[in-house]
Amino acid sequence: MKIHLRYYGLVAAVTKKAQEEIELKAGMTVQGALDVLVKQYGEKFRKEVFFEGYYGDTKVNTPNLFLNKARIQWPQDYPKGLKTTLKDGDMLWMGLIIGGGVVQKIG
């Protein structure tokens, strides 16, 4: 099966590309795809895809990863998280995606 990948921010700096398509074995999970990409791009790739830090007193290690435009860790969309099975044509977006700002009318 083929999946589509888009890279943002520091992840794109590691891969030296904004997007690509890769061929994976049918039935592979999101974690399996990440493992393939870490083998290709190295541990720096993993470091940039995952946020490690603290939320209050709790240590967190969460991916900056969207599957088909929804965050992989949102249980309402992907209750299996990284163990979600990929399908042909799925889109994975990786990296810190920041949106927002203020629209200001000038004049």
Side-chain angles (χ1 to χ4, degrees), residues 24-93:
L24 298 171
K25 293 187 291 187
M28 187 168 279
T29 63
V30 173
Q31 183 63 61
L34 288 173
D35 292 343
V36 167
L37 293 166
V38 168
K39 284 181 185 174
Q40 181 175 346
Y41 294 113
E43 280 300 316
K44 187 161 175 102
F45 177 86
R46 183 187 313 272
K47 180 180 176 257
E48 298 304 344
V49 169
F50 284 84
F51 166 77
E52 294 184 29
Y54 286 87
Y55 183 72
D57 293 334
T58 305
K59 187 172 183 176
V60 294
N61 183 14
T62 186
N64 290 313
L65 179 70
F66 288 72
L67 174 59
N68 299 321
K69 300 182 182 180
R71 287 188 70 105
I72 194 69
Q73 65 266 49
W74 286 347
Q76 68 271 23
D77 294 323
Y78 298 108
K80 293 183 179 180
L82 294 174
K83 294 179 182 175
T84 301
T85 301
L86 293 167
K87 300 178 303 300
D88 189 52
D90 276 349
M91 295 182 300
L92 281 177
W93 295 356

